[in-house]
Amino acid sequence: MSKSLVQQQFGANAANYVVSSVHAKGASLQRLVDVVAPQPDWVMLDVATGGGHTALAFAPHVARAIASDLTEEMLDQVRKQVADKGIKNVETQRADAEDLPFADGIFDLVTCRIAPHHFPDIAKFVSEVHRVLKPGGVFALVDNVAPDVATTPGFTELELDEAAETYNNFEKIRDPSHGRAWQVGEWGKCITDAGFEIAHTEFLPKKMNFATWCKNMSVPGDRVPGLEAMLREAAPAFAAYIQPEDGEDGLGFTIIELMAVARKH
Ligand SMILES: C[S@@+](CC[C@H](N)C(=O)[O-])C[C@H]1O[C@@H](n2cnc3c(N)ncnc32)[C@H](O)[C@@H]1O
């Protein structure tokens, strides 16, 4: 069910994601390239490529990149950019993150940026990444995280768990294909349990414009006031995480991305 919702939501809004500034120009894109330091002989897989931004950012630095996604309309957008820009080393492949259609141990690098919160079984995805990587291969992850003590100190565990649930509800009202953004602690345990050694982590807060965030997912007008009220009336722990603020462009808020770079044992 949620996978067909993903394809509906992203199929209908594919073009928005190519130009979305958070996806096309977000700080985590170049930062990920810098931290990973890709090598010219590497073959990489980008899982849930969306508008292809991560695959296209790495492509100049590697031998070959496969941009994969569940949603065919997203891959159409990637193919269009690859053709328009004359890029020779990026291919597309339809792939479910939880059941990657690739042999064991063939990639030097697997990237996945701002997408696992859509996957119904994130642990299965991480084990698939581990399977398709060569020994010593690199898993480079960026995803929005829900509040916990790592991102939002100063609150009780109960307050933070409630804030995490509110954050996930906020996302799900805007986009019914949103599954669950994990807390930082959940990511650390899952990556380590799958057989990786974590080499680098950092947080990248990103400022969001409320109106653009709604527009990118074509949120029906009758849902907008409720979402706005969730920001304006946020309880203290959720407010400390989401930081609602009125600026020149209207209402804004902050989401924190976790970047984690890990190596397969
Ligand atoms: C926000 S976009 C990804 C953004 C992109 N990675 C970037 O760096 O700009 C989320 C993508 O996840 C894809 N997706 C969601 N569930 C998936 C799954 N189970 N397997 C593969 N792709 C999936 C959607 O089709 C959508 O294109």
Side-chain angles (χ1 to χ4, degrees):
M1 176 62 181
S2 59
K3 286 186 186 165
S4 58
L5 269 178
V6 161
Q7 290 171 81
Q8 267 174 39
Q9 287 292 126
F10 284 97
N13 296 290
N16 294 349
Y17 275 81
V18 176
V19 294
S20 156
S21 65
V22 167
H23 296 85
K25 299 186 191 131
S28 59
L29 194 54
Q30 186 55 45
R31 182 73 187 134
L32 198 62
V33 177
D34 292 345
V35 170
V36 169
Q39 299 299 303
D41 59 340
W42 279 9
V43 177
M44 71 166 283
L45 171 68
D46 185 33
V47 175
T49 198
H53 304 297
T54 305
L56 295 176
F58 277 84
H61 309 285
V62 299
R64 194 173 149 224
I66 299 178
S68 71
D69 202 283
L70 192 63
T71 308
E72 200 58 57
E73 290 87 338
M74 281 297 193
L75 296 175
D76 288 342
Q77 296 289 337
V78 179
R79 285 189 279 268
K80 186 169 178 309
Q81 292 180 77
V82 166
D84 289 352
K85 294 176 183 163
I87 297 166
K88 299 283 180 244
N89 65 339
V90 176
E91 300 149 46
T92 55
Q93 163 92 52
R94 187 160 182 275
D96 182 340
E98 296 169 9
D99 188 15
L100 295 173
F102 303 103
D104 297 358
I106 59 169
F107 293 108
D108 300 283
L109 167 68
V110 177
T111 52
C112 187
R113 177 171 170 262
I114 328 179
H117 56 267
H118 292 286
F119 306 162
D121 188 345
I122 295 177
K124 180 79 171 50
F125 152 67
V126 175
S127 84
E128 278 290 90
V129 173
H130 189 268
R131 180 182 67 74
V132 301
L133 277 171
K134 295 175 182 172
V138 174
F139 173 32
L141 165 84
V142 173
D143 201 15
N144 303 341
V145 283
D148 73 354
V149 67
T151 58
T152 319
F155 296 92
T156 65
E157 200 176 323
L158 181 64
E159 288 168 329
L160 289 166
D161 286 349
E162 282 172 7
E165 198 180 330
T166 305
Y167 169 61
N168 276 306
N169 286 338
F170 176 68
E171 291 278 12
K172 215 174 175 70
I173 294 168
R174 176 245 190 179
D175 169 10
S177 79
H178 177 91
R180 190 167 77 83
W182 274 7
Q183 293 169 312
V184 175
E186 292 177 275
W187 271 115
K189 180 169 181 345
C190 178
I191 294 172
T192 309
D193 286 354
F196 289 100
E197 186 180 337
I198 297 176
H200 178 92
T201 58
E202 69 183 70
F203 298 135
L204 296 120
K206 55 183 172 186
K207 295 224 181 268
M208 313 292 289
N209 177 270
F210 177 71
T212 308
W213 178 78
C214 291
K215 186 170 147 262
N216 278 350
M217 267 298 173
S218 309
V219 175
D222 60 355
R223 278 193 227 151
V224 174
L227 286 167
E228 182 169 346
M230 286 177 86
L231 288 175
R232 295 202 182 277
E233 294 158 23
F238 182 48
Y241 172 86
I242 204 87
Q243 296 176 39
E245 56 180 342
D246 286 297
E248 277 179 13
D249 300 334
L251 180 60
F253 62 95
T254 297
I255 292 176
I256 298 178
E257 290 179 344
L258 165 69
M259 177 193 295
V261 177
R263 197 170 283 279
K264 176 172 171 172
H265 288 303

